[in-house]
Amino acid sequence: MSALYERIYSIVRRIPPGKAATYGQIALLAGNPRLSRVVGYALHKAPPDVPCHRVVDRNGRTAPAFRQYGDDLQRILLEREGAVFTPDGRVDLSRCGWAGE
């Protein structure tokens, strides 16, 4: 596994329950804000202990790749942890966005 993927996994593991981060935010914290897509690729291959469901797009939308496991699985997992969604189905990043501490 690449050092970059390990760095991404380490960052995602720090996102607390009920919070969400964006692909771009994870890329920035990993050292390169232009690697949002790489974050997605890494999370697609992530080990089970990485809470991938806590990563959403820049608008708070859940990931289409999660739908292979069930239409609303990512949303269900986030809601179980206390994440709040907007009426149009996006994670409310103003309330649940992770600051990256």
Side-chain angles (χ1 to χ4, degrees):
M1 186 171 317
S2 79
L4 176 59
Y5 277 28
E6 280 302 323
R7 207 164 43 243
I8 290 167
Y9 299 153
S10 175
I11 294 164
V12 173
R13 285 183 184 109
R14 293 188 348 235
I15 304 169
K19 296 291 184 178
T22 66
Y23 294 99
Q25 181 182 2
I26 302 302
L28 178 65
L29 291 169
N32 189 334
R34 301 176 137 260
L35 295 180
S36 300
R37 287 183 191 264
V38 173
V39 171
Y41 300 144
L43 294 181
H44 191 69
K45 297 179 177 193
D49 69 316
V50 178
C52 302
H53 65 282
R54 296 180 188 150
V55 182
V56 295
D57 79 5
R58 63 189 172 109
N59 296 308
R61 288 188 296 254
T62 57
F66 249 93
R67 294 195 185 104
Q68 69 180 333
Y69 304 108
D71 283 342
D72 293 324
L73 179 61
Q74 187 175 12
R75 180 179 178 136
I76 291 165
L77 293 171
L78 285 165
E79 285 180 327
R80 281 184 187 163
E81 295 179 344
V84 178
F85 282 74
T86 62
D88 65 353
R90 296 176 293 124
V91 173
D92 187 341
L93 292 173
S94 69
R95 295 173 65 188
C96 302
W98 180 55
E101 15 346 282

